[in-house]
Amino acid sequence: MRAVDIIRAKRDGEVLSSEAIGAFIAGVLDGSWADYQTSALLMAIVLRGMTPGETAALTDAMLRTGRRVDLSGLAGVKVGKHSTGGVGDKVSVVLAPLVAACGVIMPKMSGRGLGHTGGTLDKLESIPGFRIGLSVDEFLAVLGSVGCALIGQTADIAPADKVLYGLRDVTATIESVPLISASIMSKKLAEGSSALVLDVKCGRGAFMKTLPEALTLARSLAAIGQAHGVPTEAVVTSMDAPLGRAVGNAVEIRECVETLAGQGPPDLLEVVEAVGVRVLRLAGRAADDAAALAQLRAAITSGAGRRKLRDMVAAQGGDVAVIDDPSRLPSAPFVRTLEAGDDGVVSAIDAELVGRAAVLLGAGRERKGDPVDHAAGIILRTRVGDTVRRGQPLLDLHGADETKMAAAREVATRAVRLGGEATVAPLVRAFVSPAGDVREP
Ligand code: URA
C-alpha cells in the first residue's frame, strides 16, 4: 500500500481499513514513510477524523509495535493515571506518591511537553540526577520497593507513538480525538496496569476546548480500555486557567513538594483528590468516596505521601536534598514581575497563553528535540476573581535572558485579563465510567 494512496483516501474523508492503518504505522517505524508523509496523514486525520473502529485499529497497531510490561509479579491492583495535557498540570507528581502511601501501586510512564502544555518528564528532570530512563526491570524494582515510579516511555513501549508524538508537537496535529486516544491508550495498555484513571482536561489551555469535546475524548478512551479488559474511568477537569500557581519545570516540582507538605494551592489539591478518590475506589482500597478522601488527606497530614516522593526520587537516582529543601532546585538568573496596568477584577488567566509564555521562556520546546530550561517558568501571583490595584504584581517571569523575557512578557500580558465578568467554572466537570456513562460531580 503506497503512502500517497492512504494519505489521499483520508484527505478525501474515506474510512481507512485496518490494513492501511497497519501499513501506516509499519512505515512510520521502519522509516519508509518520510516525516512529511506522516505529517500529511496526521493532518488529514485531524481534519477528517476517524471512526471508533479506525481509532481502535490505530491504537492496536501502535500497541503492537512494542512490548507490554508484565506487572503480574507485583501483588495488588496496579492503577495507571494519565492526563490529556494541561498548563501547570503537576497532578501525577503529587498523586503517584500519595496513592502509593495509601497502598496502591501506580506505574506511570509519562511524556514530555507537548505544544503549550508541560510534560511530567521535563519537570522531573529538574531534580538533579533523577533518571526517567529506567529499564523495565528497574521500573519493576522501584514499583516493588516504593509503590510508584514515574518514567519515560522505554524504547520498546509503543515506539510508534514516540515518533508520532514528536511530529505532532511541531505540526499542529495534536488536537484530535482519535490521535490523542491512540497515543494515550497505546502507552497505557502497554504499561500493564489493571485499571486506569484519566484526567481529561477541558478549556482554554486544554487540547479539548469544550465540555462536549472533552466528553467525546473521555468516552473514546474508556471504550478502548473496556475493549482491552482494562477498566478505564475519566475525570473531566477544567483547564481554563493554569492549575496551581507554578508553570514550568523546577517551579512545579517545588509546588508538588509544598502540596505534599499540606501547603499546596487549593485548585491543585482539588484535582489530586478527585482523581485520587477514583484511583482508590478502582483499586478496591475504599468502600466509598468519603473513605477514599479521608485516606488521601491522612497521607498528606502524616507526611507519608511526601516520604513516598522522597523514596521514589532516591530510587530513581535523584538528589533527595531538593525534596527536603526545594530552594535547592535550579533557579533562573532573572525574575521579572508583570504588574497590573489598572485597577480591576481578574476576569481570566488564559492557560494556553501562560503555557505559550512559559515555552518562550524556555520551559518547553519550539522544535522537536530542543532542550528545555529547567529553571524557566512562571509564578502566578493572582487568581481569577481577585481584585487588584494598578501596580500590583500579577505574575513573575523566571528566565535566562532578557530577549526571551521580553517575548514571554508580551504573551503573558495578554493572558491576564482585567475587567468584565469573572466566571470561574467548577474545576471538576464530570466523571465518565468504564461503560461511558457520564456523572456530574
Ligand atoms: N498525551 C499523550 O500521551 N498523547 C497525546 O496525544 C496527548 C496527550
Side-chain angles (χ1 to χ4, degrees):
M1 262 176 184
R2 293 191 318 155
V4 66
D5 296 328
I6 298 173
I7 298 165
R8 183 183 300 110
K10 186 42 79 184
R11 182 200 69 189
D12 293 346
E14 291 175 26
V15 173
L16 299 180
S17 65
S18 301
E19 291 71 36
I21 290 170
F24 161 51
I25 293 303
V28 165
L29 260 199
D30 68 18
S32 58
W33 278 53
D35 278 0
Y36 51 81
Q37 292 175 310
T38 302
S39 304
L41 182 57
L42 290 170
M43 186 57 85
I45 294 172
V46 170
L47 298 175
R48 291 297 197 162
M50 277 185 146
T51 63
E54 286 176 290
T55 307
L58 180 62
T59 310
D60 287 346
M62 287 167 64
L63 177 62
R64 277 199 307 270
T65 57
R67 69 183 274 194
R68 291 182 80 159
V69 179
D70 180 4
L71 297 175
S72 59
L74 299 169
V77 185
K78 279 72 67 173
V79 185
K81 179 263 168 191
H82 203 80
S83 156
T84 57
V87 177
D89 180 6
K90 51 200 79 78
V91 170
S92 296
V93 182
V94 179
L95 183 79
L98 207 53
V99 298
C102 298
V104 179
I105 296 178
M106 179 161 278
K108 172 106 183 71
M109 287 187 191
S110 294
R112 299 210 173 268
L114 193 60
H116 63 277
T117 68
T120 301
L121 298 182
D122 296 324
K123 299 172 208 218
L124 288 167
E125 282 183 336
S126 66
I127 300 173
F130 191 92
R131 289 176 57 223
I132 54 109
L134 301 191
S135 67
V136 169
D137 286 345
E138 289 172 318
F139 183 46
L140 293 175
V142 178
L143 285 173
S145 63
V146 181
C148 60
L150 294 176
I151 67 165
Q153 229 171 307
T154 61
D156 49 2
I157 296 287
D161 178 59
K162 239 188 187 162
V163 181
L164 296 181
Y165 199 88
L167 279 176
R168 288 171 59 218
D169 190 18
V170 290
T171 56
T173 51
I174 301 168
E175 294 89 341
S176 149
V177 168
L179 292 179
I180 297 177
S181 301
S183 165
I184 291 182
M185 293 308 284
S186 61
K187 286 188 291 248
K188 292 290 113 180
L189 294 169
E191 198 177 76
S193 295
S194 0
L196 291 170
V197 180
L198 303 172
D199 182 1
V200 176
K201 300 288 186 196
C202 157
R204 277 192 288 263
F207 298 127
M208 299 293 114
K209 304 289 181 207
T210 66
L211 184 58
E213 285 171 344
L215 289 174
T216 303
L217 175 59
R219 287 205 199 89
S220 166
L221 295 162
I224 297 170
Q226 192 83 327
H228 285 85
V230 178
T232 300
E233 291 194 12
V235 184
V236 179
T237 64
S238 185
M239 182 39 72
D240 283 326
L243 193 59
R245 291 181 283 258
V247 177
N249 298 301
V251 289
E252 290 201 35
I253 294 295
R254 182 182 186 136
E255 189 163 77
C256 292
V257 176
E258 288 164 1
T259 303
L260 285 168
Q263 288 147 12
D267 59 342
L268 172 61
L269 200 57
E270 189 179 338
V271 176
V272 167
E273 289 182 346
V275 178
V277 164
R278 297 322 309 157
V279 170
L280 263 55
R281 294 297 309 278
L282 266 179
R285 305 288 307 189
D288 55 31
D289 289 5
L293 190 57
Q295 281 188 50
L296 293 166
R297 290 185 175 168
I300 291 185
T301 40
S302 68
R306 186 172 170 168
R307 282 194 295 279
K308 278 286 175 201
L309 176 66
R310 199 178 188 283
D311 291 348
M312 183 187 79
V313 168
Q316 294 191 227
D319 179 3
V320 291
V322 303
I323 305 301
D324 299 333
D325 176 9
S327 69
R328 299 170 70 136
L329 282 159
S331 60
F334 299 108
V335 179
R336 298 280 176 266
T337 300
L338 180 72
E339 291 160 356
D342 231 324
D343 295 352
V345 173
V346 179
S347 53
I349 303 179
D350 186 311
E352 178 164 359
L353 291 178
V354 174
R356 278 210 250 140
V359 171
L360 288 169
L361 287 168
R365 293 177 183 77
E366 306 272 6
R367 275 177 313 217
K368 194 173 140 186
D370 277 355
V372 299
D373 176 353
H374 290 121
I378 292 174
I379 302 288
L380 300 177
R381 306 265 301 264
T382 185
R383 302 299 303 169
V384 176
D386 286 356
T387 301
V388 294
R389 307 301 304 260
R390 182 188 165 89
Q392 189 173 325
L394 298 175
L395 53 84
D396 294 330
L397 303 165
H398 294 235
D401 74 65
E402 295 289 10
T403 316
K404 288 181 176 171
M405 299 283 249
R409 187 184 184 91
E410 190 274 314
V411 176
T413 304
R414 286 189 281 125
V416 186
R417 283 175 217 144
L418 293 185
E421 195 90 337
T423 40
V424 188
L427 212 45
V428 179
R429 308 288 303 273
F431 295 95
V432 177
S433 77
D437 300 322
V438 178
R439 173 170 68 83
E440 284 186 13

